Amino acid sequence: MMRASRWWVVLAALATVGLGACAALLSSSKAPRTGDRILFSHKVHAENDLECVTCHEDVIDSKTLVGMALPKEEKCLECHEEDKTAGKCDKCHALPKTPGSYPPREPRVEISHQAHVPRAKEECSKCHARLPEPRVAAARPTMGTCRGCHEHEQDFSQGACVRCHSDLSRYPLKPVSAFSHQGNYVRQHGPAARSSADSCTKCHEQTFCADCHARTAPVPIELRFPEKVLRDFIHRADYRTRHTLEARAEPALCNRCHGQSFCTSCHTAQNLTPTALTPRSPHPQGYSFPGANSHARDARRDIVNCAACHDQGARSICIDCHKVGGVGGNPHTPSWLSRHDHDEIRRNGMCGYCH
Amino acid sequence: MCRERWAALALGSWLLAQPARGDTIDFEATTLLAGRADPRDGQLHTVVPMLETVSGRASAIKNPWLCDLEVVLQMWGEIDPGDPRDDRFSSGDVDLGYAAATLARGRVALRAGRQLIQGGAARMLQLDGGNVQVRVRRFGLQGFAGVPVTPRFGVDRGDGAAGARVSYRASFESELGLSFIHVADDGRVARQDLAVDGRWAPHRSLLMSGLVLWSIAEERLAELDTRFSLIPSSKLELSVDVRRTAPDLFLPLNSIFAVFAEERRDEVGSTLVLSASPALRLQADYHALGQDSGTGHRAGGKLTLMPGRARRGSVGVQSRVLRLPDHDGYTELRLFGALPLGATGFVTGDVAGYLLEAPINGQDGSLSGQVSAGRGFGRWRGVVSGLAAVTPFAERHFEVMARLVYGFSTRIREDRP
């Protein structure tokens, strides 16, 4: 029968979901969202010799993109009052029956128009090359435009992304050139990340890394995301069959994440380790003894493979034969003594297993 | 369940309540139900884990003392009414649970709690502890200390770990670092490594990166990893990599198995990625493996076609070959595809077959096929998946999985004009 205290795990999970849901309800916006869009032609207004600041009058003093310095309805009505009175709502609203305001947009870039407008001598087109039209999206200023200024080039070279990008983890950009993620990046990202961890974190939160790298992760990522068929996940498809081959091809790769105790736990369930209930040997006859089929050569070549079943610390079966005075003789490599003096036997408790 | 784990769960629940005060909140709850037959020594055991994962992040939390304050939590709880391998009906853990903030205009970054330490000699270390990073102009200094997290199904990875990394960043693409890590277990050295890592981009189209990891305790090279990439355009990427590892040094030094061998493994190879057109991508690689027992080979190719203007769907074929020095290995052939259904729906298929050089349990092959389908409903996303396989361990193997995700992202501050 299950212990009652174990239900607390489930209750804790439910409680956290509840707390999260409460947080969502408390924080959600109360403003109605109708799905409406504002139909506005910059081209028509520019042809009528209207300056940008005529409508975007707040832009000169704006220090952030919060609100985007977009004109409110009163501003439009200064010229288009008659249209509203005549009920021509569809002139400006995509959904005239349920008119709304601009869709809420979260600023992705930290920029002060107050500082930039005078530098651009009020020529907005220096950065805003193409403005949005009812059926044409705006061409946002490129990062190359920003880096055209010496100050921002310096920010870029120092990796000071947050000076401009408010949250790259929420709105990551497509990585290019040196940070290109092409090919089998699952396999290749390690070397890149070792000296660029700081750069990686500009876009990737730790939760992203933890899906694979957390030793506490409950299920492998392949089980969690089977639909991501384009990803080169390591344990995809029938990994159980080929895991011994992959492990022998690159023993260190497994140990980076798992450690030999991970292997032992499964191998014990398969009755492959000496500590299993009914252990059986997968080795050829005579493997334990000196000779052609001896384990010695394999141990020298792939000790990680041995450790996957036999690392039980002081109870490892290797010790039975290889301890001082045992029939197995000295197992150390020829160069061992050149790096480890005899006094280490006293200092290192592990040596005491044999010595 | 141990007292520490209960404390971690309680802390996690409390931390998740904190996002309500945050300026920006990201929350995701995943419910996953899986069912499969687990072959153990010739017997099939049914495993039916039911998993709840909760992930929350509150960022830009306003407070008078610290900048960019964020609280991150990722935790899970599982019950398994089937026949789990470890005979545990329920389990749970915290993957991440930390608070982070910056000081001095972002020059000093602090992080405390359960976290991942990245980079240099630390590789990717999951740690209960603290991390401090100081960056002054082009120079950086990082220090961390704590207790390595005990892996699932595993024994503890040490009583304590500490390390540091100093770095110089010449540009966004170029950085040089010197790092050190010391891991102690039962009062003995489990790991003591010194590393030099670097990235250098002399030109936008050329990138070099590398790591040299030196085991101080064993006075031997534990790892050398270098990579040269040529990216002449966004359509072509060619890279050459050279690696040398000492696999035995990836065992804890306090393991009895650390005294038996001095292995060396080399790998040299090249990778090509070619985007012949926006709809067609080719990927190919070859690597020679040099081990004490001889030379092996690893090679592969992948062709992906993404038809349509939106490039949402894809179909591809992949093949991989692994040949080990001892005349063992496999050949893989894989077909995969993804078909979008409406704005938020999809169906994917994945068939993989393996031809084994040396039979396992008298079988020289393995075949598996998996179909998944999913759709989004507002803040909800659902995926169901089924897998059928014939493997050397099971004549007929089936797996099913259903995943339901509820996620939202919101700002406390209202941005509407």
Side-chain angles (χ1 to χ4, degrees):
Chain A
M1 189 179 151
M2 188 187 67
R3 282 192 305 169
S5 61
R6 287 179 177 171
W7 284 105
W8 284 102
V9 178
V10 183
L11 289 175
L14 291 172
T16 49
V17 174
L19 285 167
C22 291
L25 289 170
L26 288 170
S27 60
S28 61
S29 169
K30 297 290 187 291
R33 290 173 189 171
T34 66
D36 186 24
R37 284 186 304 117
I38 306 299
L39 306 174
F40 182 85
S41 171
H42 282 90
K43 189 180 173 187
V44 170
H45 286 76
E47 284 171 356
N48 284 287
D49 294 332
L50 281 171
E51 297 282 336
C52 300
V53 291
T54 307
C55 297
H56 300 281
E57 54 189 6
D58 295 338
V59 80
I60 292 178
D61 298 322
S62 76
K63 293 179 180 175
T64 71
L65 286 183
V66 174
M68 306 283 186
L70 296 172
K72 293 179 180 171
E73 189 182 30
E74 297 86 64
K75 190 72 198 172
C76 305
L77 295 181
E78 286 179 12
C79 299
H80 299 286
E81 179 76 50
E82 288 177 11
D83 291 326
K84 186 172 185 180
T85 311
K88 295 179 182 174
C89 302
D90 60 342
K91 190 169 183 179
C92 298
H93 292 279
L95 298 175
K97 289 182 180 173
T98 53
S101 186
Y102 306 100
R105 290 169 66 189
E106 196 173 340
R108 303 178 185 189
V109 176
E110 302 285 344
I111 183 172
S112 167
H113 276 93
Q114 188 189 48
H116 283 77
V117 170
R119 286 182 196 175
K121 295 177 181 169
E122 298 191 12
E123 278 189 46
C124 304
S125 59
K126 276 193 175 175
C127 298
H128 296 280
R130 191 180 75 208
L131 295 166
E133 297 297 328
R135 293 186 183 278
V136 182
R140 289 189 183 132
T142 64
M143 204 156 85
T145 308
C146 305
R147 288 174 61 190
C149 164
H150 172 73
E151 185 186 350
H152 297 316
E153 180 63 37
Q154 200 174 34
D155 289 338
F156 178 80
S157 72
Q158 291 180 3
C161 306
V162 291
R163 296 245 178 105
C164 301
H165 295 281
S166 49
D167 196 344
L168 273 172
S169 61
R170 188 184 298 268
Y171 306 112
L173 300 170
K174 189 181 177 186
V176 293
S177 63
F179 291 95
S180 158
H181 290 8
Q182 293 204 68
N184 187 350
Y185 203 68
V186 170
R187 194 179 188 95
Q188 295 163 0
H189 77 284
R194 281 176 196 142
S195 51
S196 317
D198 205 24
S199 301
C200 300
T201 57
K202 305 289 183 198
C203 295
H204 298 293
E205 282 295 320
Q206 287 215 351
T207 48
F208 178 83
C209 310
D211 281 343
C212 293
H213 285 288
R215 270 80 172 173
T216 48
V219 289
I221 194 156
E222 295 82 2
L223 176 65
R224 213 171 151 189
F225 300 109
E227 73 275 18
K228 295 188 185 294
V229 292
L230 289 177
R231 297 271 180 90
D232 292 291
F233 289 140
I234 292 171
H235 309 102
R236 187 183 288 288
D238 182 20
Y239 190 74
R240 185 193 289 257
T241 294
R242 57 192 167 95
H243 82 281
T244 58
L245 303 168
E246 302 281 9
R248 280 153 57 201
E250 197 170 353
L253 185 69
C254 305
N255 267 10
R256 284 177 202 278
C257 294
H258 296 301
Q260 72 277 19
S261 59
F262 177 85
C263 312
T264 308
S265 69
C266 188
H267 291 166
T268 301
Q270 307 289 342
N271 286 324
L272 289 171
T273 71
T275 52
L277 285 175
T278 53
R280 59 185 169 87
S281 172
H283 302 301
Q285 217 168 16
Y287 197 67
S288 306
F289 306 104
N293 283 334
S294 172
H295 65 284
R297 190 186 63 174
D298 290 344
R300 289 274 196 250
R301 286 178 175 175
D302 193 357
I303 192 66
V304 176
N305 201 7
C306 306
C309 291
H310 293 290
D311 195 354
Q312 283 87 35
R315 291 184 294 119
S316 299
I317 59 170
C318 320
I319 296 169
D320 296 341
C321 297
H322 288 291
K323 65 186 176 189
V324 174
V327 295
N330 179 8
H332 293 304
T333 56
S335 61
W336 174 265
L337 279 175
S338 67
R339 297 191 309 273
H340 300 270
D341 57 40
H342 229 75
D343 285 347
E344 191 172 324
I345 294 172
R346 286 200 307 274
R347 295 196 307 269
N348 191 339
M350 183 191 59
C351 301
Y353 295 165
C354 290
H355 294 273
Chain B
M1 183 181 284
C2 64
R3 192 179 295 270
E4 290 79 7
R5 193 159 289 185
W6 275 115
L9 278 170
L11 176 68
S13 303
W14 177 81
L15 283 173
L16 202 70
Q18 300 309 299
R21 298 203 318 246
D23 261 16
T24 306
I25 299 166
D26 298 289
F27 174 87
E28 191 172 275
T30 303
T31 306
L32 190 145
L33 174 65
R36 65 188 166 89
D38 185 19
R40 291 175 213 153
D41 199 16
Q43 300 291 318
L44 286 178
H45 298 255
T46 304
V47 184
V48 193
M50 285 188 282
L51 180 78
E52 185 70 32
T53 305
V54 178
S55 174
R57 176 190 173 216
S59 52
I61 301 172
K62 283 183 182 171
N63 71 94
W65 305 286
L66 300 163
C67 298
D68 306 320
L69 178 62
E70 69 168 357
V71 177
V72 174
L73 176 74
Q74 184 163 302
M75 58 188 289
W76 57 272
E78 179 190 66
I79 55 171
D80 194 339
D83 185 10
R85 193 187 303 161
D86 56 1
D87 292 327
R88 294 171 73 174
F89 174 79
S90 64
S91 55
D93 213 331
V94 176
D95 292 337
L96 293 170
Y98 66 82
T102 62
L103 293 167
R105 292 186 171 186
R107 291 192 185 96
V108 180
L110 309 167
R111 201 167 55 220
R114 177 163 290 189
Q115 57 190 293
L116 291 166
I117 306 291
Q118 304 127 307
R123 298 194 203 118
M124 187 62 103
L125 179 69
Q126 196 179 6
L127 193 77
D128 288 331
N131 179 68
V132 180
Q133 198 165 351
V134 181
R135 185 162 287 283
V136 180
R137 294 185 178 273
R138 295 180 184 276
F139 294 92
L141 173 64
Q142 178 193 15
F144 60 88
V147 179
V149 173
T150 301
R152 200 175 179 219
F153 300 124
V155 294
D156 67 79
R157 284 204 155 196
D159 303 328
R165 180 173 181 265
V166 290
S167 60
Y168 174 78
R169 176 181 281 168
S171 71
F172 191 51
E173 295 107 340
S174 304
E175 183 168 328
L176 184 68
L178 175 69
S179 53
F180 167 79
I181 187 169
H182 179 99
V183 181
D185 188 18
D186 288 337
R188 301 193 289 270
V189 175
R191 225 186 117 195
Q192 198 176 56
D193 294 333
L194 189 69
V196 177
D197 62 82
R199 276 166 63 86
W200 183 41
H203 186 264
R204 277 183 72 85
S205 61
L206 186 64
L207 175 71
M208 301 176 209
S209 61
L211 171 91
V212 180
L213 189 70
W214 181 262
S215 172
I216 298 170
E218 277 296 301
E219 299 169 20
R220 277 195 291 142
L221 185 73
E223 186 177 14
L224 167 73
D225 195 339
T226 55
R227 185 178 175 83
F228 305 88
S229 298
L230 181 67
I231 314 168
S233 75
S234 59
K235 293 179 178 175
L236 179 66
E237 182 173 330
L238 181 67
S239 58
V240 176
D241 54 86
V242 180
R243 300 176 66 199
R244 168 169 284 186
T245 50
D248 60 298
L249 291 179
F250 284 75
L251 293 170
L253 294 176
N254 59 337
S255 161
I256 189 75
F257 286 82
V259 307
F260 292 144
E262 289 177 25
E263 297 172 48
R264 205 173 68 186
R265 179 190 177 279
D266 295 323
E267 183 175 317
V268 182
S270 181
T271 305
L272 169 80
V273 180
L274 175 67
S275 299
S277 76
L280 187 66
R281 177 170 291 183
L282 173 70
Q283 178 184 322
D285 73 276
Y286 169 78
H287 287 82
L289 316 175
Q291 295 174 320
D292 291 342
S293 52
T295 305
H297 310 275
R298 175 165 67 82
K302 186 176 176 184
L303 188 69
T304 310
L305 182 68
M306 288 164 284
R309 288 184 67 187
R311 316 255 178 257
R312 287 180 58 214
S314 61
V315 60
V317 58
Q318 183 175 18
S319 181
R320 296 209 63 77
V321 176
L322 175 68
R323 292 284 179 275
L324 295 174
D326 53 358
H327 307 293
D328 207 347
Y330 67 80
T331 303
E332 177 197 24
L333 182 65
R334 179 175 170 241
L335 301 168
F336 59 90
L339 177 70
L341 295 175
T344 60
F346 63 83
V347 175
T348 65
D350 196 340
V351 179
Y354 295 93
L355 194 62
L356 304 170
E357 287 284 300
I360 298 173
N361 289 339
Q363 304 296 313
D364 59 2
S366 161
L367 182 67
S368 67
Q370 187 158 23
V371 176
S372 306
R375 192 172 172 188
F377 305 90
R379 289 178 170 180
W380 296 85
R381 297 192 307 277
V383 177
V384 290
S385 182
L387 179 144
V390 180
T391 79
F393 296 101
E395 286 180 24
R396 288 183 297 276
H397 178 80
F398 299 101
E399 283 185 28
V400 290
M401 190 280 289
R403 191 179 83 234
L404 187 64
V405 181
Y406 172 75
F408 69 83
S409 180
T410 187
R411 285 176 77 96
I412 298 296
R413 228 174 7 188
E414 185 56 69
D415 293 335
R416 292 161 66 89

